[in-house]
Amino acid sequence: RTPGNVTPGRVLRVPWGAGARGVTATVTAFDAAAQGYVTAWPCDADRPNTSVANVVPGATVINTVIVPAAANGDLCLYASSAMHIRVDVSSRFGAGLLPLEPPRRLVDSRLALSSSKGPVTRFRLRIPQTAQAAALTLTVTDPAASGFVTVWPCEQERPEASLVNFVRGQTVANSVVVPVPADRRLCGFASAPAQVLVDLEALFIAGYTSVGPVRVLDTRVGLGGYQGRRTTMQVDVGEVVPGARAVVVNLTTVNPAAAGSLLVWPCEEARPATPLLAY
């Protein structure tokens, strides 16, 4: 965590150590002096134009991203405005991950890249090579109304799970992992017209198994054994992904009673200090 606000335009180095092809990092940005964004990338590469967090004054923004690792393991971060930044690295990836450096922009509705120019409600993209899954950064800007975005293999029915939630006029980014079908084609849907950007960060070429998505908890309807607002819950994912060493989940909070944060961790371990979602 930075001891003071990061100077706009300053590049921060986060040493992590060599030996990984990529890492999962939770980036938290808060106390921003002005509207801005944060970018993360391996320090031995050029800074990309992909943001991992978009911030406004007074808001805390958290996003968990997959970042390719530099040869010496160092991660670099850039902040466009003065803010505090916290980075927590939770996992390392080996040969099963194929990082793309720099990230490849697959959709940009502002420029008619892979879709018609202007706000969209539907878009398509094609993953450039065969893989089990793709790590994407989805960015929504200038939406006409509050809503959500989801992305899924075109050969399947559109899922209920949202990947990005937004309010009118907001710019927001989220990093997601989406299964890649045999034809490598993915479909996207926005519930309100918005400018949409999709950046391909990495490919899982081994070690990833798709299970859905499968909704395992929804306190609105009692799914998962809990109904109504809760502060602590235990969720069993063993039947969905038996034998897995880790799972990719999408977290959504609805109508919170107050501002707060959401933490998720293995129940056999102590509760961590790092939240995965702020609201």
Side-chain angles (χ1 to χ4, degrees):
R1 177 172 173 172
T2 53
N5 275 9
V6 178
T7 303
R10 176 186 172 191
V11 174
L12 300 178
R13 278 183 174 263
V14 181
W16 183 245
R21 298 188 68 173
V23 298
T24 302
T26 299
V27 178
T28 305
F30 52 102
D31 292 342
Q35 184 172 337
Y37 62 90
V38 178
T39 296
W41 74 98
C43 291
D44 57 3
D46 293 333
R47 175 166 63 91
N49 62 357
T50 304
S51 64
V52 299
N54 298 85
V55 298
V56 294
T60 296
V61 177
I62 303 174
N63 193 15
T64 299
V65 296
I66 295 175
V67 184
N72 64 358
D74 287 1
L75 306 180
C76 277
L77 292 105
Y78 167 88
S80 67
S81 62
M83 67 184 73
H84 282 293
I85 296 177
R86 183 173 59 224
V87 179
D88 298 277
V89 177
S90 57
S91 60
R92 296 156 58 99
F93 294 96
L97 183 74
L98 178 63
L100 274 74
E101 190 50 50
R104 182 177 301 186
R105 180 150 290 175
L106 303 178
V107 174
D108 188 340
S109 63
R110 302 170 304 178
L111 306 174
L113 177 60
S114 190
S115 63
S116 59
K117 188 174 181 179
V120 296
T121 56
R122 297 182 183 274
F123 55 94
R124 289 175 176 259
L125 57 140
R126 193 170 190 268
I127 302 302
Q129 70 179 75
T130 300
Q132 294 178 349
L136 307 172
T137 296
L138 305 179
T139 304
V140 175
T141 187
D142 295 330
S146 298
F148 66 91
V149 169
T150 191
V151 175
W152 71 97
C154 294
E155 62 187 20
Q156 300 176 5
E157 295 292 328
R158 192 181 83 203
E160 295 182 6
S162 64
L163 299 180
V164 179
N165 294 279
F166 53 82
V167 298
R168 181 178 180 180
Q170 183 183 28
T171 297
V172 59
N174 192 29
S175 296
V176 300
V177 176
V178 180
V180 176
D183 64 5
R184 311 201 306 271
R185 297 184 183 277
L186 300 178
C187 285
F189 169 80
S191 63
Q195 302 284 14
V196 177
L197 294 76
V198 182
D199 295 285
L200 177 62
E201 308 286 349
L203 295 170
F204 287 88
I205 56 177
Y208 181 92
T209 301
S210 173
V211 293
V214 177
R215 182 157 292 174
V216 295
L217 176 71
D218 188 338
T219 61
R220 298 171 300 180
V221 297
L223 178 62
Y226 302 91
Q227 188 161 9
R229 297 179 182 182
R230 293 288 190 276
T231 57
T232 304
M233 291 162 286
Q234 183 170 320
V235 182
D236 184 5
V237 297
E239 293 184 2
V240 178
V241 283
R245 299 179 63 182
V247 294
V248 176
V249 297
N250 195 56
L251 308 173
T252 305
T253 58
V254 181
N255 296 329
S261 58
L262 182 64
L263 294 86
V264 179
W265 72 97
C267 295
E268 62 189 19
E269 299 180 4
R271 191 179 75 188
T274 305
L276 296 182
L277 181 66
Y279 53 83

